[in-house]
Amino acid sequence: MVTGTRGAPRASRPALVADAAIGLLAERGLRGLTHRAVDEAAGLPQGSTSNLARTRAALLELTVQRLAERERAVLVPGDGTLSPSGGLEGLADTLAAALDGYLSGHRRLLVARYELALEATRRPELRAVYDARGRVFREMAEGMLAAAGSRAPRRHALSLVAWCDGILFSCTAGSFHTTRPDREELRESIRELLGGMLVSGPRHDAAPYG
């Protein structure tokens, strides 16, 4: 981390470039993401982005990595870990707060993620980076579910992550983009979803997905 003249933290050059790229993806889509456009958006001399990420693939990979860092900061504030207590109720509270925080003020991150997700379907090298970053969130969900009493945390993590992704997409770019559930509505929906998962019974997890 670079420090400004008054001691305030300032983003590193890679973070500055990647943040500008995220903004461009949200505003203009992939067609608007060029090295020159990133230089202009970041307020850097022409050629700065090319010196850092020479190819478009390298720029996309840098952006995916930075996006994952920023998403984690939104979804997991504080020390970067989620340790909900209280079983179903605690987990529902934690997830509702995370989703509400994301939907309340981070639409640009979501739009950028959707642009990158589609591009990853066409670029195997980007797919590998995208999947590696996303695996962190899947494993986090699996751990929380196991701690809350799930008897099949890997399978339940797929359902939970898919539901959360669906809510974020629907309220950002889908049919509910003009409205969104409030935190209490999110909490109740999550409680209903988890209610079918956190029940007693024999453990029957399959091999991990992906």
Side-chain angles (χ1 to χ4, degrees):
M1 180 68 71
V2 179
T3 301
T5 57
R6 296 186 180 181
R10 190 173 66 213
S12 65
R13 180 63 63 88
L16 183 63
V17 165
D19 285 341
I22 289 169
L24 287 168
L25 285 171
E27 294 169 8
R28 308 178 191 176
L30 279 161
R31 290 185 178 181
L33 183 65
T34 66
H35 287 74
R36 179 180 292 273
V38 172
D39 286 338
E40 293 175 353
L44 296 172
Q46 289 296 320
S48 297
T49 300
S50 292
N51 287 335
L52 183 66
R54 290 210 166 272
T55 65
R56 182 173 178 82
L59 178 58
L60 289 171
E61 290 179 18
L62 179 69
T63 305
V64 167
Q65 292 167 357
R66 176 61 172 167
L67 179 65
E69 292 173 2
R70 292 182 58 180
E71 285 194 302
R72 188 182 183 99
V74 171
L75 295 170
V76 193
D79 63 0
T81 61
L82 280 179
S83 301
S85 59
L88 185 154
E89 297 297 334
L91 183 53
D93 287 340
T94 297
L95 293 174
L99 292 178
D100 182 60
Y102 211 148
L103 291 171
S104 296
H106 299 281
R107 180 181 179 277
R108 287 159 62 89
L109 292 184
L110 287 167
V111 174
R113 170 146 62 94
Y114 300 144
E115 292 281 351
L116 290 167
L118 288 173
E119 187 67 4
T121 66
R122 297 180 284 266
R123 290 177 176 265
E125 72 282 2
L126 184 62
R127 176 87 270 168
V129 176
Y130 189 94
D131 287 352
R133 292 294 178 169
R135 190 173 299 115
V136 174
F137 296 98
R138 287 160 44 198
E139 291 173 350
M140 190 182 304
E142 182 181 328
M144 289 191 297
L145 284 163
S150 167
R151 305 300 294 176
R154 293 191 186 98
R155 180 167 56 81
H156 289 161
L158 170 62
S159 297
L160 179 60
V161 170
W163 184 89
C164 290
D165 277 344
I167 286 289
L168 293 173
F169 181 86
S170 294
C171 295
T172 300
S175 56
F176 290 91
H177 68 94
T178 58
T179 184
R180 68 176 183 83
D182 60 27
R183 182 167 172 173
E184 184 57 30
E185 289 172 323
L186 287 167
R187 180 179 177 279
E188 286 304 305
S189 293
I190 294 168
R191 286 183 73 255
E192 291 167 353
L193 178 67
L194 294 176
M197 299 179 181
L198 306 183
V199 296
S200 60
R203 188 184 183 95
H204 50 85
D205 238 348
Y209 296 99

